[in-house]
Amino acid sequence: MNKKIGILTSGGDAPGMNAAIRAVVRAAFGEGIEVIGFERGYDGLINDEHVFLDIRSVGDIIQRGGTILKTARSEEFMTEEGQKRAIETINKNEIDALVAVGGDGTFRGALDLTKKGIVVMGIPGTIDNDMGYTDYTIGFDTAVNTVLSAISNIRDTASAHDRTTIVEVMGRNCGDIALTSGVTGGAEYILIPELPVDVMAICTKISEAMIKKKSHSIIIKAEGVDIPTMELADMLARSTGMEVRTVILAYLQRGGSPSARDRMLATLTGKRAVDLIRDDSGSRAIGIHGAKIIEMDMAEAIKIKKEADLELLRLIEILSC
Ligand code: F6P
């Protein structure tokens, strides 16, 4: 009998989720496997809100941000009752394996299902790049490029007006977007949630820069850093006498057409998910190490914590002279 896959996207949307859906549907078609998509993440699974996905239904989406299946952070799925109903939906629709595209919350939900006997393939989709078992998550590269383009514009104005500008980027617990966009955008200072903020050190650096005839600075601050952006701006302005402006990029950096790297990661992980289901490999978390697509046990993958690359902060110290 032919197999059947259910797919959902969950948590914050990330550019490349659509490319992953497309890859799963078309690779499955090649294997004679049927695919249905659950809408709004685990909520759709609980309420059996699904659509049939054939090869045409995923046409013209590879370039689109967001997710055609919509997404949600399901509170109901965190309850025993919610998970029981989700499993009923899976059984009722005779689904052999679920593909869950999302971040760490999505994977924790997937692990709960695997413990109850459901086969789940986890595909990492979040702009935060906060999953320790994989080098990259789908959406991160696009988000960083969006931030970079914003920094370039902001830099023109900061330079023209001799101002310091704090650019707040996303990342509640993980500073990867801040670190990567800060280093590649030539920022003077990067603040990440993994480290405490030393406001005096920033003031000293800006003041020293002024003495060295550097009249403007860009500070990249992740949203999870434990000082509000406006408060930081006031403190810096008072201490250095410089004009300080703030830009909060928020959802500007979460949407948009996925970059080539994100489309590639989505396509390769989507295809691998289908191969693993075809081969009855059991539940796996799929990711990338270097240039190689990898897969591992879901419980093990969740245990691996992401660590900030502090070398990049030291590099900023050297290069932002
Ligand atoms: O998980 C991605 C992310 O964009 C985080 O960077 C951010 O903290 C969070 O989602 C915001 O979530 P929401 O859109 O649900 O408020």
Side-chain angles (χ1 to χ4, degrees):
M1 214 179 77
N2 283 351
K3 285 189 172 149
K4 192 169 178 184
I5 291 176
I7 182 168
L8 57 82
T9 50
S10 162
D13 64 303
M17 281 181 160
N18 282 326
I21 297 168
R22 171 184 180 271
V24 167
V25 170
R26 294 207 169 156
F29 178 78
E31 300 290 347
I33 299 174
E34 199 184 323
V35 184
I36 64 173
F38 291 97
E39 295 178 313
R40 281 173 283 280
Y42 291 117
D43 279 344
L45 195 60
I46 291 169
N47 298 312
D48 194 8
E49 291 165 354
H50 70 258
V51 287
F52 292 96
L53 295 172
D54 62 15
I55 49 169
R56 288 281 73 76
S57 67
V58 293
D60 218 14
I61 66 167
I62 195 168
Q63 79 285 9
R64 280 170 57 189
T67 157
I68 59 162
L69 289 177
K70 300 189 179 290
T71 185
R73 301 187 195 277
S74 174
E75 289 190 9
E76 202 179 348
F77 188 71
M78 291 178 197
T79 65
E80 272 300 317
E81 177 58 22
Q83 293 187 6
K84 188 168 150 267
R85 287 180 57 200
I87 291 171
E88 279 165 13
T89 302
I90 289 171
N91 292 335
K92 186 172 100 191
N93 288 287
E94 299 180 328
I95 287 165
D96 297 284
L98 190 70
V99 177
V101 188
D104 52 357
T106 305
F107 274 46
R108 279 195 299 274
L111 182 62
D112 287 342
L113 287 179
T114 67
K115 287 180 181 159
K116 294 180 163 92
I118 305 296
V119 173
V120 191
M121 297 297 159
I123 293 183
T126 164
I127 63 165
D128 286 358
N129 206 31
D130 57 352
M131 304 175 87
Y133 81 95
T134 178
D135 290 352
Y136 292 106
T137 55
I138 297 164
F140 171 69
D141 184 62
T142 308
V144 165
N145 280 302
T146 305
V147 172
L148 265 186
S149 134
I151 294 175
S152 301
N153 289 2
I154 290 164
R155 183 176 282 291
D156 289 344
T157 301
S159 156
H161 287 266
D162 290 340
R163 283 177 186 156
T164 291
T165 307
I166 305 173
V167 183
E168 184 186 298
V169 301
M170 277 187 163
R172 249 184 315 220
N173 306 307
C174 173
D176 245 35
I177 295 177
L179 273 175
T180 308
S181 61
V183 170
T184 55
E188 273 64 39
Y189 224 97
I190 301 174
L191 301 170
I192 57 173
E194 291 90 336
L195 289 179
V197 187
D198 184 348
V199 179
M200 278 327 290
I202 310 172
C203 293
T204 308
K205 182 151 187 189
I206 292 174
S207 303
E208 283 173 3
M210 284 158 73
I211 294 165
K212 286 189 268 178
K213 307 249 177 299
K214 188 170 196 174
S215 57
H216 65 280
S217 299
I218 305 276
I219 298 170
I220 307 295
K221 173 185 174 285
E223 64 172 332
V225 169
D226 61 1
I227 177 168
T229 299
M230 297 306 291
E231 202 176 300
L232 178 64
D234 283 348
M235 289 166 90
L236 296 185
R238 261 187 276 117
S239 165
T240 65
M242 274 199 91
E243 270 193 273
V244 182
R245 293 286 193 269
T246 57
V247 179
I248 297 177
L249 292 179
Y251 293 113
L252 271 180
Q253 76 212 279
R254 208 157 87 184
S257 184
S259 66
R261 281 185 73 156
D262 280 332
R263 294 183 200 196
M264 185 63 91
L265 182 58
T267 301
L268 296 178
T269 51
K271 168 73 166 76
R272 178 65 65 91
V274 172
D275 290 349
L276 290 166
I277 292 167
R278 178 200 60 205
D279 298 341
D280 294 319
S281 304
S283 297
R284 310 294 278 166
I286 304 167
I288 187 163
H289 287 172
K292 201 169 164 325
I293 298 298
I294 55 102
E295 78 256 355
M296 64 189 297
D297 179 74
M298 184 80 73
E300 290 306 312
I302 288 175
K303 273 192 228 150
I304 302 174
K305 295 285 161 245
K306 174 88 185 182
E307 286 190 12
D309 185 353
L310 301 182
E311 278 303 315
L312 291 179
L313 287 182
R314 283 188 270 279
L315 187 60
I316 281 283
E317 286 274 329
I318 299 166
L319 300 185
S320 65
C321 46

